[in-house]
Amino acid sequence: MNAIGRHRGLARIWAGEPGLRGVFSAVSHTDIGKRFIIASAIFFAIAGVLAMLIRAQLATSHSAFVGPEAYAQIFTMHGSIMMFLFAIPMLEGVAIYLLPKLLGSRDLAFPRLTALGWWCYLFGGSIMVGSLLVGLAPNAGWFLYPPLSGPEYTPGVNSDVWLLGVTFVEISAMCAAIEIVVTILKFRAKGMRLDRMPIYAWYILATAGMMIFGFPPLILGSILLEIERAFGWPFFDPELGGSPLLWQHLFWLFGHPEVYIIFLPAAGAISTIIPVMARTKLIGYGAIVASVMALAFLSFGLWVHHMFTTGIPHMALGFFSAASVLVAIPTSIQIFAWLGTLWAGRPKLELPMLYLLGFFFVFILGGLTGVMLAIVPFNQQAHDTAFVTAHLHYVLAGGFVFPMLAAAYYWMPHVTGRLRVMRIGEAAFWLIFIGFNITFFGMHLTGLLGMPRRVYTYPAEAGWDWLNLVSSIGGFLQAFGFALFALDIALQAWLGRPARRNPWGAGTLEWTMMTPPPAYNFASLPEVECREPLGARGTLAADLARGEGLLAAPRNGWRETLAVDIASGKPDHVAILPGPSLLPVAAAASFGGFFAMMLLSLYWIAPLFLVAVTVVIWLWASTNGSREPVGPLEIGDGTTVPSHYEAQGTVGYWGSVFALCASGTLFGSLIFGFAYLWTVAPHWPPQTGLDAPLFETGLIVAGALAAAIFVRLALPRTGNGEGRLYLAIAGMGLTLLVLASLPVLRLPAPTDHAFGAVSTTLVAYGLFHAMVATLILAFMMVRKRQGFVAHGRPQEMRVATLWVDYAAGTAIVVALVLVLAAWGV
Amino acid sequence: MDPAGPSAAAIADLWWWMLAGSVLLSGLVFVILFLAFRRAGRAERSDAPSEKLWLGWLGLAMPVVVLLALLTYALHLGGRILPGPDAPDLTVEVTAYNWGWSFRYPDGRVSERVLHIPADAKIDLVISATDVIHSFWVPRLAGKMDAIPGHVNELRIEADRPGTFAGVCAEYCGIGHVDHDFQVIAHDGESWQDFLENRE
């Protein structure tokens, strides 16, 4: 087969569907990645317009441009959109687009999950922005502190929009995070050991891992606050044993890692682009990987530095202050690795490099003010002033926006296959750079002079007029800069001259394919012996196109890509990926129905949409698997490996592992909340106690253990094990029923005191997982009968075992926590 | 940046030190960047980059030293400006609400939106709120402290001269947030006696 024939064969297999149906059924990571990037850029523009409104309002004292209510919605939505609808989706979009291409894979691990994430993001983001149009947008600040955001002080729908919209978008973030981790671990080129991965993959691995553990506290907080608003369960109400500070802990447990979740992918792009611009290799690969991992861990230990003024004891503040200062060290290692790389090489001032110089300038200043704010006494003075506003814009624009602009110029020739038209990019840079510094540099001073955040006006006597006017002028300069950038990108996409392949002379795999990239990425999959395979072998692109790599021959119309052993990168199995599907958009629409009904307070209709979600997921899972043995497959290097139907440790298994890690984090946060309220909140212990549910606990433990044991015995070996599967279902069913009985028969009412509210929520969590596990076991029964689960194809049963084990474990923990709590009160 | 109390003055000192350090460090980075680009134009060089110099000394050792010094200084300072074991000269209960501030003195008197204190005395404030979260802040006297419903926080302030100081709510508390301000009047000995005797 020649290169043209191979191209035609693969293109036919990997093509999306035509027309409108294709818009909804697309699963290709290249398409979905571009959609994420474009949509998040549009949200950036919307939030940017809001920022311009803020600057117009603050340009003079006693401005009558907008009133306090509109202003509250504007600043809340500016922050919320920038964080949740721009920064996170943008980094996801870039990673979704780039990762398989950098790793030498043909797609991500779960193409339909990519699409589900996209639709959840689009629908959730649209709900939030739509609320702005009708004047019902969230208005309690982007971190939505209760009681202000609670049912009493925000009776309208405003906070619900935030809680439901952001949670909807977080579903998308969790999908992306799980998918990214599994892809990096399993879908790499043959021979790409972990220490040969492109540095960007390390950064994204750390980021996605942080998302898996960082987002669940926020999701939990949002669920609790929404329940408090909808049903009056007093998690955050100090009159009834709740505490507003619990929200702050849950929010910043997410919110601080979030800053690094945003920064690390940008730093990954910097570490990728700088060596190419300097025409050398990155120095200190190992030290950088170590410092990225250190940042990922440390960032979970310093959320309290957002709460230095909430009256936390001095020694605890000292600890968190030291931890906050400590994160400067891994950051500094990276910065000096980049400087050393530039020093060692022969840097050329290409356009991406110009934006990176902007990054260095802005981010260094933001980092230094960050160290200042980590110091408790200074923080207590500068907290909640314009100084903090200035600091966070220096960090986030410096640490994310400038690197992303550099990345846009660096990878645009890859996305479009074209070169840029005129030197508009330089003009845009200077407008953005100068405008940014004019806007925010002065705000440090405004803040030190005592101007708080979030004021819609200020007295003329304060003497802040000229500083604010200068900031506003800078803001509008920046806006022109971003408009010019958008124009430049559009011109490049439509009018640019075709670029030759690999215009920057980079060494990574994404430049070995045609540009714009074909749907299948690589005509044949590369084998890798170093970190820069293209740099080591200049003919790699042509060799792969000729089919000298792996999986070169289209087979059975399958979308094949290679899965490797996690550490060594040895071929492990061939993954056969699903094609276009309407299931993701159907699932997202069902979720959307649920969130819309919650928003409209139609609480009795909302669960119907969750049933719809379940049905869609059932159908989705039904499309996987194979009824027939497939047998070993040739991969093109003279060896054979099994297909994923007959392999162990498939992406499905790992995806479940990480999904359960996320759920476990949510569960852990809930137990933390329980302990926190118990020890810190006023009005504890509650008036109404709880008799220890010892009998129920016995039944729950028995049922859970039975389920966990019999699901193992039902793993297909020789017999078909249907009877054992029935016993497993019976055990899980018993656990489920007993859990369901607890709120009815035992627990105090959830509306009277936070004790009842939290313990009922704990039971509800256990119940949810017991239901999932029961459904999965029922599904396994069907799959066994249909022949998808059989000797040699036990993969689905292994995944089911994970979910059953987890449900059994949580049910037991829930029961034990209740017993302990009962003894405690 | 015109401190009028020991706490605010100490924080101002801290700020000038940190500013000086920041100027030096950012200057170092910008000079390295500039030189790296200037060097690039010169002839081919074969010297391999020294990871020990760039990562070990500049990346690791330098920030460790600088940050340790800063932390020690700050922890010491933070301990000094807390309500210490030495008894305060006066304790006032502060209650924030939408949208006002009430100050209750030991003799049971309450003043609205104006906190009267003697100058040159250590005042402990016991701060809470009745509805949403607010934050007590008098920029020229001390750092801020949140007023949280259901929780009680303490803050020590001291004005080293008589005068009137503006205070604001620093945590967004709803549409009245902008005007949620108050005043602190620090009296000299004589007028403090007048305040104490003048029962309202």
Side-chain angles (χ1 to χ4, degrees), chain A residues 82 138 220 452 710:
Chain A
M82 283 295 190
L220 173 72
F710 284 111

Side-chain angles (χ1 to χ4, degrees), chain A residues 341-662:
Chain A
T341 305
L342 286 171
W343 189 270
R346 290 172 296 124
K348 255 180 91 178
L349 201 55
E350 302 270 11
L351 190 53
M353 192 62 228
L354 186 62
Y355 279 89
L356 288 185
L357 288 181
F359 147 79
F360 273 108
F361 184 83
V362 174
F363 184 73
I364 296 276
L365 296 189
L368 289 169
T369 53
V371 171
M372 296 180 185
L373 285 170
I375 303 303
V376 177
F378 182 73
N379 180 296
Q380 289 171 341
Q381 188 65 270
H383 183 70
D384 270 329
T385 66
F387 187 91
V388 170
T389 318
H391 156 72
L392 74 91
H393 282 86
Y394 265 83
V395 170
L396 292 173
F400 189 71
V401 176
F402 278 96
M404 282 296 117
L405 295 172
Y409 280 114
Y410 179 77
W411 276 298
M412 267 306 273
H414 190 282
V415 178
T416 61
R418 293 169 190 272
L419 296 171
R420 63 200 184 92
V421 192
M422 288 170 283
R423 300 179 66 83
I424 304 176
E426 277 83 353
F429 169 79
W430 287 109
L431 276 175
I432 295 171
F433 180 75
I434 295 173
F436 177 87
N437 284 293
I438 292 180
T439 313
F440 291 105
F441 197 83
M443 279 172 71
H444 290 113
L445 192 54
T446 326
L448 290 175
L449 290 175
M451 180 166 171
R453 287 168 92 168
R454 300 179 170 172
V455 290
Y456 75 101
T457 186
Y458 50 92
E461 313 83 86
W464 305 328
D465 270 272
W466 68 274
L467 279 168
N468 273 300
L469 183 62
V470 168
S471 283
S472 295
I473 293 168
F476 285 97
L477 274 183
Q478 248 188 104
F480 282 117
F482 282 111
L484 214 51
F485 170 81
L487 174 72
D488 193 23
I489 295 293
L491 286 176
Q492 178 171 355
W494 285 322
L495 303 174
R497 279 179 300 115
R500 67 192 154 81
R501 196 180 280 188
N502 195 8
W504 309 110
T508 39
L509 285 175
E510 81 273 30
W511 298 104
T512 59
M513 61 191 66
M514 298 187 266
T515 52
Y520 54 83
N521 283 351
F522 299 94
S524 61
L525 300 182
E527 291 179 44
V528 165
E529 279 151 12
C530 61
R531 283 177 206 144
E532 298 194 357
L534 181 57
R537 183 168 152 197
T539 58
L540 188 59
D543 297 348
L544 294 179
R546 270 202 309 276
E548 291 181 17
L550 307 179
L551 298 179
R555 170 162 47 196
N556 302 345
W558 285 343
R559 297 187 167 208
E560 293 182 345
T561 195
L562 189 69
V564 297
D565 176 69
I566 291 176
S568 69
K570 291 200 182 89
D572 189 80
H573 61 266
V574 173
I576 298 155
L577 297 175
S581 167
L582 293 173
L583 288 165
V585 71
S590 311
F591 274 124
F594 170 75
F595 286 112
M597 292 305 116
M598 287 296 292
L599 205 53
L600 298 172
S601 302
L602 298 172
Y603 300 125
W604 51 279
I605 304 184
L608 293 180
F609 284 94
L610 290 185
V611 174
V613 170
T614 314
V615 170
V616 175
I617 293 176
W618 185 290
L619 294 174
W620 185 320
S622 304
T623 59
N624 296 329
S626 165
R627 287 184 181 192
E628 303 300 328
V630 174
L633 300 171
E634 293 273 350
I635 57 170
D637 60 354
T639 63
T640 60
V641 293
S643 72
H644 78 275
Y645 304 120
E646 287 154 348
Q648 300 210 356
T650 57
V651 292
Y653 179 85
W654 285 107
S656 287
V657 168
F658 290 111
L660 290 173
C661 285

Side-chain angles (χ1 to χ4, degrees), chain A residues 72 147 153 243 248 283-284 309-311 314 325 332 336 340 343 345 347 368 372 375 377 380-381 383-385 448 456 680 682, chain B residues 11 15 22 30 39-40 45 49 51 54 59 63 67 74 79 82 131 133 137 139 142-144 146 150-151 153 170-172 178:
Chain A
Y153 300 99
S243 168
Q248 298 195 13
I283 73 166
T309 64
T310 58
H314 184 58
V325 165
S332 138
F336 282 100
W343 189 270
L368 289 169
M372 296 180 185
I375 303 303
Q380 289 171 341
Q381 188 65 270
H383 183 70
D384 270 329
T385 66
L448 290 175
Y456 75 101
V680 174
Chain B
I11 295 173
W15 151 254
S22 300
F30 302 147
R39 262 164 59 98
R45 281 157 292 108
E51 288 198 15
W54 287 101
L67 295 175
L82 277 177
D131 39 33
I133 299 176
W137 189 33
K144 54 187 73 65
D146 290 355
H151 293 263
N153 288 329
E171 184 67 62
Y172 182 72
V178 166

Side-chain angles (χ1 to χ4, degrees), chain A residues 85-245:
Chain A
L85 303 183
F86 161 63
I88 305 266
M90 176 63 89
L91 71 90
E92 287 164 8
V94 173
I96 287 170
Y97 178 88
L98 279 181
L99 264 184
K101 303 181 175 80
L102 277 164
L103 295 171
S105 161
R106 284 185 176 137
D107 208 323
L108 291 165
F110 311 107
R112 292 176 297 183
L113 200 65
T114 328
L116 173 64
W118 156 250
W119 295 112
C120 286
Y121 165 50
L122 183 68
F123 295 162
S126 304
I127 290 176
M128 289 182 71
V129 169
S131 74
L132 202 55
L133 297 178
V134 293
L136 292 173
N139 56 0
W142 81 271
F143 32 78
L144 215 79
Y145 280 176
L148 182 61
S149 60
E152 194 177 343
Y153 300 99
T154 308
V157 78
N158 314 56
S159 298
D160 302 311
V161 168
W162 193 99
L163 294 166
L164 297 167
V166 166
T167 304
F168 201 3
V169 175
E170 302 297 74
I171 294 178
S172 141
M174 293 314 295
C175 292
I178 292 168
E179 162 147 88
I180 284 169
V181 170
V182 176
T183 302
I184 294 175
L185 294 182
K186 292 302 290 182
F187 278 13
R188 303 197 303 266
K190 178 187 175 187
M192 189 183 278
R193 299 189 317 233
L194 285 177
D195 63 339
R196 286 180 187 155
M197 287 204 303
I199 191 78
Y200 180 80
W202 275 111
Y203 277 98
I204 295 294
L205 180 64
T207 307
M210 290 171 72
M211 287 164 77
I212 288 175
F213 295 103
F215 281 20
L218 175 67
I219 295 175
L220 173 72
S222 303
I223 292 173
L224 298 186
L225 187 50
E226 183 55 31
I227 293 177
E228 173 166 323
R229 291 180 52 84
F231 308 115
W233 299 15
F235 300 102
F236 307 108
D237 179 357
E239 299 295 315
L240 297 173
S243 168
L245 283 177

Side-chain angles (χ1 to χ4, degrees), chain B residues 33-183:
Chain B
L33 266 180
F34 177 73
L35 291 181
F37 275 84
R38 255 191 57 168
R39 262 164 59 98
R42 298 208 310 255
E44 199 72 29
R45 281 157 292 108
S46 58
D47 49 336
S50 158
E51 288 198 15
K52 199 170 148 194
L53 169 70
W54 287 101
L55 303 180
W57 288 109
L58 289 169
L60 185 63
M62 185 189 67
V64 167
V65 171
V66 172
L67 295 175
L68 266 181
L70 177 61
L71 262 183
T72 318
Y73 174 39
L75 212 58
H76 173 68
L77 179 76
R80 235 177 42 209
I81 62 179
L82 277 177
D86 50 332
D89 299 307
L90 177 71
T91 301
V92 182
E93 282 174 36
V94 180
T95 306
Y97 57 93
N98 275 345
W99 283 279
W101 297 86
S102 65
F103 303 98
R104 173 182 290 271
Y105 302 88
D107 60 4
R109 264 192 296 173
V110 175
S111 63
E112 289 289 329
R113 291 199 104 121
V114 182
L115 170 61
H116 296 275
I117 59 169
D120 258 334
K122 300 184 179 64
I123 320 294
D124 275 6
L125 302 176
V126 179
I127 302 171
S128 193
T130 54
D131 39 33
V132 302
I133 299 176
H134 305 269
S135 191
F136 177 97
W137 189 33
V138 186
R140 291 183 58 199
L141 295 186
K144 54 187 73 65
M145 185 55 77
D146 290 355
I148 304 168
H151 293 263
V152 173
N153 288 329
E154 288 189 9
L155 176 72
R156 172 161 294 182
I157 60 170
E158 182 177 349
D160 56 14
R161 69 192 84 138
T164 301
F165 306 100
V168 292
C169 172
E171 184 67 62
Y172 182 72
C173 60
I175 55 171
H177 172 60
V178 166
D179 302 317
H180 192 207
D181 53 3
F182 57 94
Q183 281 187 334

